[in-house]
Amino acid sequence: MTSGLATTELTIANWQYPENIQISFQNIAEFLPTTKVSRGDDAIAKLPFTEMEIGELEVAKVSASEPSMTVRGVINSTNTDGLLVMRNGRVLVEKYYNTMTSLTDHLLMSMSKTVVGTVAGALVGAGKLDVDALVTDYVPSLERSGYAGARVRHLLDMRSGIQFSEEYLDPKAEVRLLEEAIGWTEPSGAIGPIGMYDYLLTLKSKTEHGGPFEYRSCETDVLGWVLEAAGGARMAQLLSEYVWAKIGAQQDLVMGTDQFGTGMYDGGFNATLRDLARLGHLYVNDGVALTGQKVFDPDWIRDTFTATEDQLKAFADSPGDNMMPGGHYRNQIWFPYPKSNVALALGIHGQMIYMNPATKMVCVKLSSWPLPQDASKLFPTIRAFDAIANHLAEQDGR
């Protein structure tokens, strides 16, 4: 093991145990197949530092009975591995915990979905992807699956009619069977090691495509397959050419793969705290990187951040409780509030990029929550970042 701190050797059988997550999320390449996504040969985008004290900022309560908390209290109580706050390309806060450093590649879990969504936006701008096209126009073999009749737009917004359970604590849920299929967990005999794309072909539909929002990781995996077909290259090349080599990343992104080299698009990417801030900057700067290079058109930002009545209804009608009343989901990004442009890239166990165009602020938090989902940690974190954004806005008004 790289860190030498785990009490047992990490394997596909135990890497997701609560007691191992803090170490395993920083050492994925030690026990799972990965491939590098090149940062290219251009210079690293510099991140100037101006320290700002945020620890004592008060976090808004949602009820009178809730105890008072500060930003520091939230960060200290939510298993934080790394924290970075950046505004207009200038770092205001950067802190590391639990063996993590500025060079550590940390597992993004479902923040990977936003990375894939960024590639989609870039391919749309390049004229290589039509979001209204059928997925089978790009990947004809999907005609044999429940995705027959689905459109790329349904994948981007998680509105297909596919049957797929995202119950992380249920070993028989499709989200866990997918891990078995790609060799990321021990085989139970239910699926076997068949690979990502062959597994996706086994999925069945339950309702018509284009209905309510339902969070399903398989949507991003199918999207990645479609993007490879549309872009005419494997994801590692597309991601490098259209995104990672343009943002001035400090190091290569690490992409977890299945046993055949296909990317684990819904949750397998790994990156540094700083490079995630560089990525998030695109969404508060009209798709233009800190390097000055355009990754996607401003039209993609407008499409992503502008909620229609149809999108709001689809989110409100979701069969699951997303705990974000009035929010929506678009292009692989969460919007937690009504009538607000606060955007989130989220991953289980506490991964977050908070993007606030109004203040040009990006916050990145990488974590190792023991449980996959924990509302008592997620929502205070969002409100802590809101408190920082509000503080910056108040400073602007003085």
Side-chain angles (χ1 to χ4, degrees), residues 204-322:
K204 307 298 183 184
S205 62
K206 62 176 181 177
T207 60
E208 291 185 4
H209 301 302
F213 165 79
E214 186 173 351
Y215 188 78
R216 289 166 288 216
S217 287
C218 58
E219 310 277 59
T220 311
D221 295 315
V222 175
L223 177 62
W225 195 357
V226 167
L227 297 184
E228 287 189 331
R234 298 304 299 270
M235 180 59 72
Q237 181 179 335
L238 294 175
L239 179 50
S240 173
E241 178 182 349
Y242 286 96
V243 181
W244 217 248
K246 290 186 174 183
I247 65 172
Q250 70 178 40
Q251 57 199 60
D252 296 341
L253 178 142
V254 176
M255 182 175 70
T257 72
D258 71 2
Q259 58 275 73
F260 304 114
T262 297
M264 208 289 193
Y265 308 129
D266 73 76
F269 294 165
N270 305 258
T272 67
L273 193 68
R274 292 174 180 173
D275 284 344
L276 292 170
R278 293 178 173 101
L279 177 73
H281 181 76
L282 297 173
Y283 288 91
V284 300
N285 197 46
D286 287 334
V288 178
L290 289 167
T291 60
Q293 296 191 70
K294 184 177 74 172
V295 172
F296 46 73
D297 294 332
D299 286 347
W300 185 255
I301 287 285
R302 284 190 287 273
D303 178 79
T304 302
F305 281 71
T306 304
T308 65
E309 289 301 319
D310 177 61
Q311 292 164 32
L312 294 171
K313 185 177 187 306
F315 195 81
D317 290 346
S318 176
D321 183 4
N322 299 303

Side-chain angles (χ1 to χ4, degrees), residues 51 74 99-100 105 107 125 137 173 197 251 265 270 273 374:
E51 187 172 11
V74 171
T99 76
M100 189 169 173
D105 291 310
L107 183 62
D137 290 345
Y197 288 163
Q251 57 199 60
Y265 308 129
N270 305 258
L273 193 68
D374 192 333

Side-chain angles (χ1 to χ4, degrees), residues 87-308:
R87 188 186 196 196
N88 288 319
R90 183 172 294 274
V91 175
L92 306 178
V93 177
E94 184 174 8
K95 296 183 181 296
Y96 297 94
Y97 311 83
N98 302 332
T99 76
M100 189 169 173
T101 73
S102 63
L103 301 178
T104 302
D105 291 310
H106 192 289
L107 183 62
L108 310 189
M109 281 298 186
S110 287
M111 289 202 308
S112 304
K113 295 177 171 68
T114 302
V115 178
V116 174
T118 304
V119 177
L123 289 179
V124 167
K128 295 189 175 183
L129 180 70
D130 178 1
V131 299
D132 295 318
L134 294 169
V135 297
T136 50
D137 290 345
Y138 295 103
V139 184
S141 58
L142 285 168
E143 189 69 47
R144 310 197 309 266
S145 76
Y147 278 101
R151 300 187 182 277
V152 179
R153 168 51 61 203
H154 299 147
L155 304 179
L156 284 162
D157 297 348
M158 295 203 181
R159 293 179 63 183
S160 81
I162 215 75
Q163 172 62 51
F164 191 93
S165 171
E166 198 81 9
E167 293 294 332
Y168 300 106
L169 299 181
D170 178 3
K172 296 182 180 180
E174 283 86 353
V175 71
R176 292 308 187 192
L177 296 180
L178 185 153
E179 291 182 349
E180 181 180 331
I182 66 173
W184 277 39
T185 191
E186 286 189 312
S188 67
I191 294 295
I194 62 175
M196 174 66 79
Y197 288 163
D198 279 348
Y199 175 73
L200 295 176
L201 292 176
T202 71
L203 298 178
K204 307 298 183 184
S205 62
K206 62 176 181 177
T207 60
E208 291 185 4
H209 301 302
F213 165 79
E214 186 173 351
Y215 188 78
R216 289 166 288 216
S217 287
C218 58
E219 310 277 59
T220 311
D221 295 315
V222 175
L223 177 62
W225 195 357
V226 167
L227 297 184
E228 287 189 331
R234 298 304 299 270
M235 180 59 72
Q237 181 179 335
L238 294 175
L239 179 50
S240 173
E241 178 182 349
Y242 286 96
V243 181
W244 217 248
K246 290 186 174 183
I247 65 172
Q250 70 178 40
Q251 57 199 60
D252 296 341
L253 178 142
V254 176
M255 182 175 70
T257 72
D258 71 2
Q259 58 275 73
F260 304 114
T262 297
M264 208 289 193
Y265 308 129
D266 73 76
F269 294 165
N270 305 258
T272 67
L273 193 68
R274 292 174 180 173
D275 284 344
L276 292 170
R278 293 178 173 101
L279 177 73
H281 181 76
L282 297 173
Y283 288 91
V284 300
N285 197 46
D286 287 334
V288 178
L290 289 167
T291 60
Q293 296 191 70
K294 184 177 74 172
V295 172
F296 46 73
D297 294 332
D299 286 347
W300 185 255
I301 287 285
R302 284 190 287 273
D303 178 79
T304 302
F305 281 71
T306 304
T308 65

Side-chain angles (χ1 to χ4, degrees), residues 1-21 23-24 27 30-31:
M1 288 303 304
T2 300
S3 65
L5 295 181
T7 57
T8 58
E9 181 181 359
L10 294 177
T11 67
I12 61 170
N14 67 22
W15 72 277
Q16 295 187 76
Y17 289 178
E19 64 269 25
N20 290 336
I21 282 174
I23 301 302
S24 66
N27 294 281
E30 298 292 327
F31 56 92

